[in-house]
Amino acid sequence: MGHKERSSDFLTFDNHRRCVFVYRLLIAEDEPKLRRIVKDYFEKRDFQVQGAADGMEALALLKEQDFDIVLLDVMMPSLDGFAVCRAIRREKDTPVIFLTARVSEEDQLRGFQEKADDYITKPFSLPVLHAKIRALLERKDGSLCGRKLQSSGITVDLDAREVTVDGELVSMAPKVYDLLVYLMNNRGRILTREQILDHVWGQDVFCYDRAVDTTIKKLRHALGNRAGRIRTIVKVGYKFQEGDNES
């Protein structure tokens, strides 16, 4: 089956058209247009972005996976941003920034009382938001350099674009490497072939679903004894699974 990249999907590419997501961002915002604008902007700047249309959806996503930073609107249906922030703080120390039209001092104070890291009123500057997020992440991680993805026996150095398996440096073709990064960034999630094509093969690329299967075979070969981390979901796609029950 032929596949055409959707022009609405934006990714970050290096000079060789290779895609790497680094940080995970969740934006909870009930306005679809603003959600899309923020998503597009940050996906072009090394972020993997998920959107939620209301507070309940945001909490469901936070339960399913970890995020590096959360952007919250205050006025959302089903559960407002203050309640979502309060729920996050009961479980995690994930940085939280409010993005809201509520500009009163009382609302801003309440946001900080809920232990938000910042409170930004609409309209806002995307470059300034990006700078604030980078500063928060730098303080949290100590540095924006040296980012690695790790699973027992597998380490991916995102800056050097190097992979080690059981302590040995492994050579991978660029697309095989990109596929491993995407799978590890979404570990535990079932990814369809279409999703993998969308996020690994780049913008405006026409290719066949079989390209995914062929590249998966190459990835498994490169991973050697850890090949079993890449699980086949029959008639659906693939997922990266933690654990040492490789086959």
Side-chain angles (χ1 to χ4, degrees):
M1 185 175 95
H3 175 83
K4 188 73 163 60
E5 288 288 338
R6 293 189 298 270
S7 61
S8 59
D9 289 336
F10 294 89
L11 302 173
T12 299
F13 294 86
D14 66 10
N15 291 332
H16 300 285
R17 300 288 296 169
R18 292 176 290 191
C19 162
V20 178
F21 283 121
V22 178
Y23 289 105
R24 291 184 175 186
L25 181 152
L26 172 63
I27 175 169
E29 164 65 56
D30 63 345
E31 173 50 53
K33 183 178 179 180
L34 179 57
R35 209 164 56 239
R36 169 57 66 179
I37 289 171
V38 172
K39 185 175 189 292
D40 290 351
Y41 184 88
F42 280 92
E43 283 189 340
K44 288 188 275 189
R45 289 161 177 81
D46 293 349
F47 285 80
Q48 182 182 18
V49 184
Q50 293 240 32
D54 58 53
M56 293 300 293
E57 184 181 357
L59 287 183
L61 287 169
L62 285 159
K63 185 176 181 180
E64 292 172 0
Q65 56 192 285
D66 291 325
F67 290 91
D68 295 296
I69 195 152
V70 179
L71 305 180
L72 291 177
D73 187 16
V74 171
M75 297 180 289
M76 292 187 293
S78 75
L79 197 66
D80 69 25
F82 293 136
V84 174
C85 186
R86 191 159 53 248
I88 292 172
R89 287 292 171 259
R90 284 197 292 266
E91 303 286 338
K92 304 176 181 182
D93 63 353
T94 306
V96 173
I97 296 178
F98 282 113
L99 296 176
T100 176
R102 295 177 66 161
V103 300
S104 74
E105 182 179 273
E106 181 181 355
D107 286 324
Q108 294 182 54
L109 289 172
R110 183 177 176 189
F112 288 114
Q113 287 168 359
E114 299 293 356
K115 299 182 182 178
D117 295 273
D118 209 337
Y119 190 103
I120 298 175
T121 57
K122 301 174 184 176
F124 57 88
S125 160
L126 283 167
V128 170
L129 175 62
H130 180 240
K132 285 176 176 285
I133 286 174
R134 298 282 293 191
L136 277 172
L137 292 172
E138 188 172 24
R139 287 199 297 272
K140 183 173 183 287
D141 292 343
S143 173
L144 291 177
C145 298
R147 291 279 294 179
K148 294 181 180 180
L149 293 172
Q150 292 182 314
S151 175
S152 179
I154 302 172
T155 300
V156 180
D157 185 325
L158 294 170
D159 297 302
R161 290 183 65 88
E162 292 180 344
V163 179
T164 55
V165 178
D166 293 325
E168 297 292 328
L169 189 63
V170 174
S171 176
M172 288 186 181
K175 200 58 64 181
V176 177
Y177 169 86
D178 295 342
L179 177 58
L180 175 61
V181 169
Y182 181 57
L183 289 169
M184 290 186 72
N185 266 326
N186 291 275
R187 65 190 72 192
R189 293 180 58 201
I190 297 172
L191 301 169
T192 66
R193 289 174 177 82
E194 182 177 343
Q195 286 175 307
I196 293 171
L197 285 168
D198 282 347
H199 289 84
V200 175
W201 262 253
Q203 294 185 37
D204 302 320
V205 173
F206 181 85
C207 56
Y208 292 91
D209 290 353
R210 184 57 62 183
V212 174
D213 300 330
T214 300
T215 309
I216 286 285
K217 288 180 182 178
K218 294 178 181 178
L219 175 57
R220 283 175 169 153
H221 178 75
L223 293 177
N225 291 334
R226 302 293 179 176
R229 295 291 171 83
I230 312 300
R231 312 296 294 183
T232 300
I233 310 302
V234 179
K235 296 183 180 180
V236 180
Y238 299 94
K239 74 173 179 177
F240 186 95
Q241 180 171 292
E242 298 283 5
D244 293 317
N245 58 333
E246 277 75 28
S247 59

